[in-house]
Amino acid sequence: MGIVIRKATAADAPQILAFIRALAIFERAPDAVTATEEGLVRDGFGPNPFYYCLIAELDGRPAGFAFYFFNYSTWVGRPGIYVEDLFVHPEFRSLGIGKALLREVAAVALKMGCQRMQWEVLDWNTPAIDFYRAMGAEFLDEWRNVRISGDALERLAQGTGAQGEAPVLQNGPDGAAS
């Protein structure tokens, strides 16, 4: 039967969550996952999905996944794809599954007119770094990842952070007139 890469369906939510949890264990953050099957179904399989997911199977067994979404480059003036997660179970590594998953995401990117794919890799994950480098990936070491979440996100949205009050929006956050 070999390697099969297919689009995930809502029925795959339990398997997607299992992959996410396995990835979190591998990345040394097993308690960081708060995602739920219900949330995955809600956010990935409605009329306007926030993400897309590919499932890799080897001989009918779930082997790995690629979880991605679209972004947009203002400099290039074109869409791109951000790969949030790429994971292959350890017993299925070195069989071409990770490359097959990335190849399929790349095909989606080209089909949708995207000019690039981006993702992150932990600095200690040398096997993945070597794998990406061998495929021709470019490492953007001069860029820093920035994240705001939790209470800090709430404070920023409410304008109650250390920098003073937020300006009044003339339009709503989606750009539409209020």
Side-chain angles (χ1 to χ4, degrees), residues 29-47:
D31 298 326
V33 176
T34 60
T36 65
E37 291 176 22
E38 295 79 17
L40 291 170
V41 170
R42 177 195 63 230
D43 296 337
F45 301 99

Side-chain angles (χ1 to χ4, degrees), residues 9-89:
T9 68
D12 290 311
Q15 182 58 63
I16 295 168
L17 187 55
F19 282 135
I20 292 168
R21 288 181 175 144
L23 175 61
I25 291 167
F26 174 78
E27 291 185 348
R28 305 173 186 164
D31 298 326
V33 176
T34 60
T36 65
E37 291 176 22
E38 295 79 17
L40 291 170
V41 170
R42 177 195 63 230
D43 296 337
F45 301 99
N48 297 303
F50 287 105
Y51 74 87
Y52 301 88
C53 184
L54 299 172
I55 304 281
E57 296 173 338
L58 180 63
D59 298 328
R61 296 173 46 209
F65 81 132
F67 192 102
Y68 64 94
F69 54 87
F70 292 90
N71 57 21
Y72 194 86
S73 170
T74 57
W75 288 12
V76 177
R78 299 297 300 268
I81 283 184
Y82 184 84
V83 181
E84 176 70 19
D85 290 329
L86 176 72
F87 177 74
V88 175
H89 279 298

